Amino acid sequence: MTEVDHLSKAAQAALLLPDDQRIERISGARWIGYTRAQDILTKLDDLLAYPHQPRMPNLLLYGATGNGKTMIINRFIRRHPTSDNPGGDAVVVPVLAVQAPPLPSESRLYDAILEALFAPYKARENVSKKQFQVLRLLRAVNTRMLVIDEIHHILVGPTNQQRIVMNAVKYLSNDLQIPLVGVGTLEAVRAIQADPQLASRFHRAELALWRMGREYRKLLASFERMLPLKRPSKLAREPVATKLLAMTEGTIGELSTLLKTAAIYAVRTGVERIDEPVLAGLEWAPPSARHTPSFGHV
Ligand SMILES: Nc1ncnc2c1ncn2[C@@H]1O[C@H](COP(=O)(O)OP(=O)(O)OP(=O)(O)O)[C@@H](O)[C@H]1O
Ligand SMILES: [Mg+2]
């Protein structure tokens, strides 16, 4: 008989699937509510409940690439989803998240917002008209928080462009009296710190790299519970825990990819658990050792 206590109910049920479907299940994305993510979700909730006033507090969520920032935002949006507002005039979009354009352009920032709202717009329209349309629409759909992901894209670049975009961001926040949440890398922190007015308006929340400790072991145990393998791997124990941290250099994204890859290998080879020999058998280079091609995205 297969021991299943190491798995969540959903993962136990997945053990009954044929291997190819089990592999598909392993590859899918699932949410783990680790403590820091919950803390940040609470901060976002507090910010959303903050009463309207001329100087709204803003938040900058920052951390290394692949460390779960966007996942937290997506989770937050699921808590505060768009609703059709039956009986009302317009849909209600309590939290609007947009991806910053890849370069500091006020006009492209407005395009991103209009696109996220499925609003028709003319890309060549002059910028003040676009701004007007953005402000009007965000009010119409009752947006109470604007999230700008990848905010470093618009905060770094030629100083004059950067300043224009920063002023646009300040203006949105002032005029709508809603909190802004910027999500980005350490570069975003530096850019915001360089502008005293922005610096005083943005609180910062870091999603730090993972280090060995209780929380990390809990995270490993959570991954183990959701990966449908027939045998327990005991990922939170040594030496595997330290090995996983070294191979992934502390981001949850790398850890997730590594564990999924290892779990698939464990299914295919029939080993049915993730242990040192399985990890050694993977073709895996830690992120810092990877060759980054000069084109595209890896
Ligand atoms: N809470 C979580 N539970 C499970 N897996 C997670 C969680 N957060 C992140 N991951 C995994 O890490 C991957 C990277 O996360 P995410 O895209 O949120 O990182 P990011 O910090 O936004 O990175 P970037 O700065 O590059 O945009 C996700 O695709 C997912 O596989
Ligand atoms: Mg992201």
Side-chain angles (χ1 to χ4, degrees):
M1 216 188 86
T2 313
E3 180 67 62
V4 294
D5 284 354
H6 61 293
L7 297 178
S8 68
K9 287 272 175 289
Q12 287 179 20
L15 283 185
L16 303 171
L17 298 170
D19 284 358
D20 55 340
Q21 284 181 37
R22 193 148 55 101
I23 286 173
E24 214 172 282
R25 185 65 70 91
I26 290 169
S27 313
R30 240 142 301 137
W31 164 261
I32 295 172
Y34 56 91
T35 309
R36 182 64 178 150
Q38 302 291 5
D39 290 349
I40 292 171
L41 286 169
T42 305
K43 273 186 208 295
L44 292 170
D45 268 325
D46 291 347
L47 210 53
L48 191 64
Y50 204 86
H52 282 277
Q53 59 178 58
R55 273 177 67 94
M56 292 299 287
N58 300 323
L59 183 74
L60 180 66
L61 172 58
Y62 70 98
T65 179
N67 209 16
K69 302 182 294 295
T70 302
M71 282 282 275
I72 292 176
I73 297 302
N74 290 344
R75 188 77 186 175
F76 186 67
I77 289 172
R78 279 182 55 183
R79 280 193 189 180
H80 304 281
T82 296
S83 68
D84 281 341
N85 189 22
D89 302 332
V91 292
V92 175
V93 186
V95 180
L96 184 74
V98 301
Q99 182 106 350
L103 71 186
S105 150
E106 181 181 4
S107 183
R108 300 264 307 258
L109 174 64
Y110 298 144
D111 293 354
I113 296 174
L114 294 168
E115 255 162 50
L117 290 168
F118 302 107
Y121 69 92
K122 296 194 200 97
R124 286 164 188 277
E125 189 70 271
N126 82 46
V127 83
S128 58
K129 278 199 180 146
K130 276 190 196 170
Q131 184 190 51
F132 181 77
Q133 195 186 357
V134 161
L135 292 171
R136 189 173 51 80
L137 275 171
L138 288 176
R139 283 204 179 85
V141 298
N142 252 304
T143 297
R144 292 186 288 128
M145 178 185 283
L146 177 64
V147 182
I148 305 178
D149 199 352
E150 310 277 359
I151 197 167
H152 46 276
H153 284 165
I154 55 174
L155 295 183
V156 265
T159 331
N160 53 341
Q161 298 247 17
Q162 195 190 340
R163 193 159 298 136
I164 292 170
V165 182
M166 279 185 177
N167 283 336
V169 169
K170 275 187 245 177
Y171 190 84
L172 283 178
S173 157
N174 286 340
D175 195 79
L176 296 163
Q177 298 185 5
I178 61 172
L180 290 184
V181 174
V183 179
T185 57
L186 205 57
E187 278 182 302
V189 178
R190 285 196 204 105
I192 282 181
Q193 266 171 338
D195 178 312
Q197 243 188 329
L198 273 186
S200 71
R201 299 279 288 277
F202 273 89
H203 299 280
R204 292 196 296 270
E206 186 184 12
L207 206 50
L209 289 177
W210 290 84
R211 280 186 292 196
M212 185 48 69
R214 215 174 91 86
E215 282 298 323
Y216 191 63
R217 290 182 204 281
K218 264 173 65 182
L219 179 71
L220 295 178
S222 303
F223 269 109
E224 176 160 354
R225 282 181 64 69
M226 79 185 197
L227 293 169
L229 295 177
K230 292 179 184 156
R231 298 170 64 204
S233 305
K234 307 234 186 291
L235 297 179
R237 290 211 192 150
E238 293 306 346
V240 171
T242 294
K243 175 100 187 145
L244 289 170
L245 186 60
M247 290 172 84
T248 57
E249 297 173 347
T251 65
I252 192 172
E254 290 288 335
L255 180 67
S256 167
T257 306
L258 174 60
L259 289 177
K260 285 175 182 177
T261 311
I264 291 169
Y265 181 95
V267 171
R268 293 224 166 100
T269 55
V271 180
E272 291 293 342
R273 65 178 191 146
I274 299 168
D275 55 11
E276 276 196 293
V278 165
L279 293 175
L282 302 174
E283 270 180 46
W284 180 270
S288 60
R290 273 174 224 161
H291 168 69
T292 315
S294 57
F295 55 87
H297 187 74
V298 251

